[in-house]
mmCIF file of all heavy atoms in Angstrom:
data_model
loop_
_atom_site.group_PDB
_atom_site.id
_atom_site.type_symbol
_atom_site.label_atom_id
_atom_site.label_comp_id
_atom_site.label_asym_id
_atom_site.label_seq_id
_atom_site.Cartn_x
_atom_site.Cartn_y
_atom_site.Cartn_z
ATOM 1 N N PRO A 24 117.852 96.419 114.626
ATOM 2 C CA PRO A 24 116.506 95.859 114.503
ATOM 3 C C PRO A 24 116.236 95.397 113.068
ATOM 4 O O PRO A 24 116.649 96.038 112.117
ATOM 5 C CB PRO A 24 115.576 96.993 114.912
ATOM 6 C CG PRO A 24 116.383 98.237 114.710
ATOM 7 C CD PRO A 24 117.819 97.867 114.965
ATOM 8 N N SER A 25 115.595 94.266 112.983
ATOM 9 C CA SER A 25 115.310 93.715 111.632
ATOM 10 C C SER A 25 114.190 94.497 110.951
ATOM 11 O O SER A 25 113.233 94.901 111.605
ATOM 12 C CB SER A 25 114.917 92.240 111.748
ATOM 13 O OG SER A 25 113.758 92.103 112.554
ATOM 14 N N GLN A 26 114.367 94.695 109.695
ATOM 15 C CA GLN A 26 113.361 95.421 108.906
ATOM 16 C C GLN A 26 112.272 94.425 108.424
ATOM 17 O O GLN A 26 112.591 93.342 107.937
ATOM 18 C CB GLN A 26 114.021 96.080 107.691
ATOM 19 C CG GLN A 26 115.071 97.117 108.071
ATOM 20 C CD GLN A 26 114.432 98.318 108.747
ATOM 21 O OE1 GLN A 26 113.306 98.676 108.445
ATOM 22 N NE2 GLN A 26 115.157 98.928 109.681
ATOM 23 N N PRO A 27 111.031 94.794 108.576
ATOM 24 C CA PRO A 27 109.962 93.904 108.096
ATOM 25 C C PRO A 27 110.032 93.760 106.584
ATOM 26 O O PRO A 27 110.291 94.723 105.875
ATOM 27 C CB PRO A 27 108.676 94.584 108.530
ATOM 28 C CG PRO A 27 109.036 96.017 108.710
ATOM 29 C CD PRO A 27 110.485 96.043 109.168
ATOM 30 N N GLN A 28 109.900 92.544 106.149
ATOM 31 C CA GLN A 28 109.954 92.292 104.712
ATOM 32 C C GLN A 28 108.646 92.747 104.031
ATOM 33 O O GLN A 28 107.557 92.444 104.488
ATOM 34 C CB GLN A 28 110.161 90.792 104.439
ATOM 35 C CG GLN A 28 111.509 90.289 104.933
ATOM 36 C CD GLN A 28 111.704 88.823 104.600
ATOM 37 O OE1 GLN A 28 110.795 88.172 104.106
ATOM 38 N NE2 GLN A 28 112.904 88.324 104.874
ATOM 39 N N GLN A 29 108.810 93.530 102.971
ATOM 40 C CA GLN A 29 107.635 94.034 102.231
ATOM 41 C C GLN A 29 107.117 92.954 101.255
ATOM 42 O O GLN A 29 107.907 92.312 100.557
ATOM 43 C CB GLN A 29 108.010 95.284 101.445
ATOM 44 C CG GLN A 29 108.366 96.460 102.360
ATOM 45 C CD GLN A 29 108.655 97.706 101.541
ATOM 46 O OE1 GLN A 29 108.778 97.619 100.329
ATOM 47 N NE2 GLN A 29 108.779 98.843 102.209
ATOM 48 N N GLN A 30 105.815 92.736 101.308
ATOM 49 C CA GLN A 30 105.178 91.764 100.410
ATOM 50 C C GLN A 30 104.980 92.389 99.030
ATOM 51 O O GLN A 30 104.496 93.513 98.909
ATOM 52 C CB GLN A 30 103.807 91.325 100.957
ATOM 53 C CG GLN A 30 103.900 90.632 102.315
ATOM 54 C CD GLN A 30 104.631 89.319 102.212
ATOM 55 O OE1 GLN A 30 104.557 88.641 101.185
ATOM 56 N NE2 GLN A 30 105.367 88.948 103.247
ATOM 57 N N PRO A 31 105.375 91.714 97.997
ATOM 58 C CA PRO A 31 105.216 92.289 96.656
ATOM 59 C C PRO A 31 103.734 92.356 96.269
ATOM 60 O O PRO A 31 102.969 91.444 96.560
ATOM 61 C CB PRO A 31 105.968 91.300 95.764
ATOM 62 C CG PRO A 31 105.948 90.013 96.523
ATOM 63 C CD PRO A 31 105.993 90.381 97.976
ATOM 64 N N TYR A 32 103.304 93.466 95.663
ATOM 65 C CA TYR A 32 101.928 93.635 95.202
ATOM 66 C C TYR A 32 101.777 93.040 93.799
ATOM 67 O O TYR A 32 102.679 93.192 92.960
ATOM 68 C CB TYR A 32 101.512 95.109 95.170
ATOM 69 C CG TYR A 32 101.437 95.715 96.560
ATOM 70 C CD1 TYR A 32 102.499 96.437 97.087
ATOM 71 C CD2 TYR A 32 100.274 95.534 97.335
ATOM 72 C CE1 TYR A 32 102.425 96.990 98.361
ATOM 73 C CE2 TYR A 32 100.198 96.089 98.613
ATOM 74 C CZ TYR A 32 101.271 96.814 99.124
ATOM 75 O OH TYR A 32 101.202 97.338 100.378
ATOM 76 N N PRO A 33 100.629 92.374 93.544
ATOM 77 C CA PRO A 33 100.441 91.813 92.194
ATOM 78 C C PRO A 33 100.348 92.921 91.148
ATOM 79 O O PRO A 33 99.812 93.999 91.423
ATOM 80 C CB PRO A 33 99.123 91.033 92.308
ATOM 81 C CG PRO A 33 98.394 91.658 93.453
ATOM 82 C CD PRO A 33 99.465 92.116 94.431
ATOM 83 N N ALA A 34 100.896 92.624 90.034
ATOM 84 C CA ALA A 34 100.858 93.609 88.955
ATOM 85 C C ALA A 34 99.413 93.815 88.490
ATOM 86 O O ALA A 34 98.639 92.869 88.411
ATOM 87 C CB ALA A 34 101.710 93.136 87.780
ATOM 88 N N PRO A 35 99.001 95.033 88.223
ATOM 89 C CA PRO A 35 97.623 95.302 87.779
ATOM 90 C C PRO A 35 97.329 94.614 86.455
ATOM 91 O O PRO A 35 98.153 94.615 85.543
ATOM 92 C CB PRO A 35 97.576 96.825 87.650
ATOM 93 C CG PRO A 35 98.990 97.251 87.480
ATOM 94 C CD PRO A 35 99.822 96.273 88.268
ATOM 95 N N GLN A 36 96.139 93.991 86.392
ATOM 96 C CA GLN A 36 95.723 93.297 85.177
ATOM 97 C C GLN A 36 95.056 94.301 84.222
ATOM 98 O O GLN A 36 94.312 95.189 84.639
ATOM 99 C CB GLN A 36 94.716 92.184 85.514
ATOM 100 C CG GLN A 36 95.289 91.098 86.396
ATOM 101 C CD GLN A 36 96.369 90.318 85.678
ATOM 102 O OE1 GLN A 36 96.293 90.115 84.467
ATOM 103 N NE2 GLN A 36 97.395 89.898 86.416
ATOM 104 N N PRO A 37 95.310 94.163 82.935
ATOM 105 C CA PRO A 37 94.670 95.080 81.981
ATOM 106 C C PRO A 37 93.151 94.853 81.948
ATOM 107 O O PRO A 37 92.680 93.743 82.112
ATOM 108 C CB PRO A 37 95.318 94.694 80.647
ATOM 109 C CG PRO A 37 95.796 93.292 80.834
ATOM 110 C CD PRO A 37 96.191 93.187 82.283
ATOM 111 N N ALA A 38 92.415 95.955 81.807
ATOM 112 C CA ALA A 38 90.938 95.867 81.766
ATOM 113 C C ALA A 38 90.493 95.027 80.576
ATOM 114 O O ALA A 38 91.092 95.078 79.498
ATOM 115 C CB ALA A 38 90.336 97.267 81.670
ATOM 116 N N GLU A 39 89.439 94.238 80.820
ATOM 117 C CA GLU A 39 88.931 93.358 79.769
ATOM 118 C C GLU A 39 88.326 94.195 78.635
ATOM 119 O O GLU A 39 87.510 95.090 78.869
ATOM 120 C CB GLU A 39 87.854 92.424 80.334
ATOM 121 C CG GLU A 39 87.310 91.452 79.311
ATOM 122 C CD GLU A 39 86.239 90.557 79.909
ATOM 123 O OE1 GLU A 39 85.925 90.721 81.094
ATOM 124 O OE2 GLU A 39 85.718 89.704 79.163
ATOM 125 N N GLN A 40 88.735 93.950 77.433
ATOM 126 C CA GLN A 40 88.235 94.670 76.266
ATOM 127 C C GLN A 40 86.977 93.963 75.739
ATOM 128 O O GLN A 40 87.028 92.785 75.400
ATOM 129 C CB GLN A 40 89.311 94.709 75.180
ATOM 130 C CG GLN A 40 90.563 95.481 75.585
ATOM 131 C CD GLN A 40 90.281 96.958 75.795
ATOM 132 O OE1 GLN A 40 89.450 97.536 75.086
ATOM 133 N NE2 GLN A 40 90.938 97.559 76.765
ATOM 134 N N LYS A 41 85.866 94.688 75.701
ATOM 135 C CA LYS A 41 84.625 94.115 75.197
ATOM 136 C C LYS A 41 84.519 94.346 73.700
ATOM 137 O O LYS A 41 84.826 95.425 73.200
ATOM 138 C CB LYS A 41 83.419 94.736 75.906
ATOM 139 C CG LYS A 41 83.350 94.374 77.381
ATOM 140 C CD LYS A 41 82.080 94.878 78.012
ATOM 141 C CE LYS A 41 81.984 94.448 79.472
ATOM 142 N NZ LYS A 41 80.726 94.903 80.096
ATOM 143 N N THR A 42 84.115 93.331 73.012
ATOM 144 C CA THR A 42 84.002 93.406 71.560
ATOM 145 C C THR A 42 82.552 93.624 71.134
ATOM 146 O O THR A 42 81.637 93.620 71.967
ATOM 147 C CB THR A 42 84.517 92.094 70.926
ATOM 148 O OG1 THR A 42 83.734 90.997 71.418
ATOM 149 C CG2 THR A 42 85.972 91.872 71.264
ATOM 150 N N GLY A 43 82.369 93.841 69.848
ATOM 151 C CA GLY A 43 81.025 94.077 69.330
ATOM 152 C C GLY A 43 80.103 92.885 69.550
ATOM 153 O O GLY A 43 80.542 91.754 69.714
ATOM 154 N N ASN A 44 78.800 93.162 69.534
ATOM 155 C CA ASN A 44 77.797 92.139 69.805
ATOM 156 C C ASN A 44 76.937 91.939 68.548
ATOM 157 O O ASN A 44 75.978 92.673 68.285
ATOM 158 C CB ASN A 44 76.921 92.568 70.984
ATOM 159 C CG ASN A 44 76.130 91.406 71.566
ATOM 160 O OD1 ASN A 44 75.829 90.459 70.865
ATOM 161 N ND2 ASN A 44 75.827 91.481 72.847
ATOM 162 N N GLY A 45 77.318 90.936 67.755
ATOM 163 C CA GLY A 45 76.602 90.689 66.506
ATOM 164 C C GLY A 45 75.147 90.310 66.714
ATOM 165 O O GLY A 45 74.255 90.761 65.967
ATOM 166 N N LEU A 46 74.877 89.490 67.725
ATOM 167 C CA LEU A 46 73.492 89.100 67.994
ATOM 168 C C LEU A 46 72.647 90.297 68.417
ATOM 169 O O LEU A 46 71.465 90.405 68.061
ATOM 170 C CB LEU A 46 73.452 88.023 69.084
ATOM 171 C CG LEU A 46 73.741 86.581 68.646
ATOM 172 C CD1 LEU A 46 73.635 85.641 69.838
ATOM 173 C CD2 LEU A 46 72.786 86.146 67.547
ATOM 174 N N GLY A 47 73.283 91.192 69.171
ATOM 175 C CA GLY A 47 72.571 92.401 69.595
ATOM 176 C C GLY A 47 72.197 93.268 68.405
ATOM 177 O O GLY A 47 71.075 93.792 68.331
ATOM 178 N N VAL A 48 73.121 93.403 67.463
ATOM 179 C CA VAL A 48 72.838 94.182 66.252
ATOM 180 C C VAL A 48 71.730 93.508 65.441
ATOM 181 O O VAL A 48 70.824 94.171 64.928
ATOM 182 C CB VAL A 48 74.112 94.340 65.401
ATOM 183 C CG1 VAL A 48 73.778 95.012 64.078
ATOM 184 C CG2 VAL A 48 75.166 95.128 66.159
#
């Protein structure tokens, strides 16, 4: 019996790094 082909999962994306807010300060 043929084995079902496994679909590759997308690599996890790194979380977006938030920078300081000069206007807020």
Side-chain angles (χ1 to χ4, degrees):
S25 60
Q26 298 293 328
Q28 295 182 354
Q29 294 183 349
Q30 298 294 328
Y32 293 96
Q36 297 294 326
E39 182 181 1
Q40 296 295 325
K41 293 186 177 182
T42 60
N44 196 333
L46 279 181
V48 174

